[in-house]
Amino acid sequence: MRILISADMEGTTGATGWKDVEPGQPAFERFRRLLTRDVNAAIEGAFGGGATDVVVNEAHDGMRNILIEELDGRAELISGLHKPLVMMAGLDDCDLVFFIAYHARAGEPGVLAHTLTGDYVNVELNGEPASEARLNAVLAGRTNIPVGVVSGDDVICEEAEKLFPGVKTAVVKYAIDNFSARCVSPSVSAERIREAARLALVERETLQPHRVDPPYTARVTLREPAQASAAAMVPGVVREGPRTVAFTSDDFREVYGALEAMGTIAGTVQ
């Protein structure tokens, strides 16, 4: 049983502000240690439940956040940018995925809520709101890989429980608003994550992949019309309004790549 842990950072124990998760900020060093601790709890729980291999993929910002020197030595780490599957690098070699330190989608009252980039005001997949967790789950589901664990605030955990059959969740903080939360202690969150990971393996027969039928249409609303103009230069992207663009394909990997490309290009517009 091979586990892929996709590790974001906004859903880390105690993190409530952008400066907590931005490399170069004084608080970042503290919270990357707490992120590593959350990931270690997931690794420990996975092996406790019978996992044979665990790979951790960095999925936040520059994707060099986890302290490898403090990472559980039984796991391997995929680190760095420009990976073809970005947040889901390693997916093709796993049987089950965990989403650790994840966050709510753009427009939700969850802590540090957004979807992929701050330039995306809203992201929809086939007309339904899409968080990063949902997009990544669809990518996994197309090859019958379910989501076993989601950790983060109560908003993303509630979404996960509605969307991903059998998923185990670990709430590490309760959102008050986008930049405030009632947080549990690191020892409590570690135990919650560890037990969720263990149960996901023990009760893996109850897990079901999250599937969305093709064709897939990703529709994105950007902050500025100029960003939509730039995003529309990506082949296959259609301008639908002043700030709205869309991309359709029968292959979700193409949609996933287009979302990353559009966000990257939009982020260069000033």
Side-chain angles (χ1 to χ4, degrees):
M1 177 59 62
R2 303 165 299 173
I3 310 301
L4 172 66
I5 297 176
S6 175
D8 206 347
M9 193 170 183
E10 288 87 355
T12 298
T13 297
T16 56
W18 292 119
K19 291 183 178 180
D20 296 343
V21 298
E22 291 178 359
Q25 296 290 341
F28 175 74
E29 293 303 318
R30 174 185 172 211
F31 284 98
R32 70 191 302 202
R33 181 161 282 108
L34 288 167
L35 169 63
T36 305
R37 182 168 180 166
D38 285 358
V39 171
N40 277 340
I43 296 168
E44 184 178 348
F47 280 112
T52 55
D53 297 280
V54 176
V55 173
V56 180
N57 178 50
E58 298 244 29
H60 173 73
D61 197 76
M63 302 188 180
R64 294 179 177 87
N65 312 294
I66 292 169
L67 295 167
I68 192 169
E69 63 271 27
E70 296 183 13
L71 189 69
D72 189 312
R74 294 172 291 181
E76 294 182 346
L77 180 67
I78 300 173
S79 182
L81 280 171
H82 309 304
K83 299 169 287 192
L85 292 184
V86 200
M87 296 182 77
M88 295 295 282
L91 177 65
D92 294 333
D93 298 313
C94 80
D95 302 300
L96 184 63
V97 295
F98 293 177
F99 297 157
I100 301 299
Y102 267 51
H103 53 82
R105 64 180 174 84
E108 287 287 286
V111 178
L112 302 179
H114 66 283
T115 305
L116 298 176
T117 169
D119 295 312
Y120 285 167
V121 175
N122 186 54
V123 178
E124 295 180 353
L125 178 63
N126 289 5
E128 296 292 333
S131 63
E132 292 171 18
R134 183 164 185 244
L135 293 170
N136 292 339
V138 173
L139 189 66
R142 62 185 291 280
T143 51
N144 297 316
I145 299 172
V147 180
V149 177
V150 174
S151 80
D153 70 9
D154 58 316
V155 180
I156 188 58
C157 287
E158 182 178 349
E159 177 187 298
E161 289 171 356
K162 291 178 180 178
L163 291 177
F164 312 145
V167 70
K168 310 304 178 186
T169 59
V171 177
V172 305
K173 53 196 170 190
Y174 300 85
I176 296 172
D177 211 325
N178 294 136
F179 304 106
S180 58
R182 189 176 82 250
C183 306
V184 303
S185 73
S187 61
V188 172
S189 62
E191 178 54 33
R192 290 182 180 183
I193 295 169
R194 185 182 303 114
E195 182 61 8
R198 187 189 70 81
L199 284 176
L201 271 293
V202 171
E203 301 177 3
R204 57 185 176 273
E205 293 83 4
T206 66
L207 302 173
Q208 298 177 34
H210 179 64
R211 295 189 180 92
V212 174
D213 294 330
Y216 306 101
T217 296
R219 182 167 289 105
V220 174
T221 302
L222 292 122
R223 293 191 180 279
E224 304 292 342
Q227 293 175 316
S229 295
M233 291 190 291
V234 175
V237 174
V238 177
R239 184 85 172 266
E240 293 189 340
R243 296 186 297 128
T244 303
V245 294
F247 181 89
T248 299
S249 174
D250 287 331
D251 184 347
F252 189 72
R253 289 201 181 202
E254 289 186 355
V255 175
Y256 195 81
L259 283 167
E260 291 293 333
M262 289 189 292
T264 299
I265 291 174
T268 68
V269 176
Q270 299 188 14

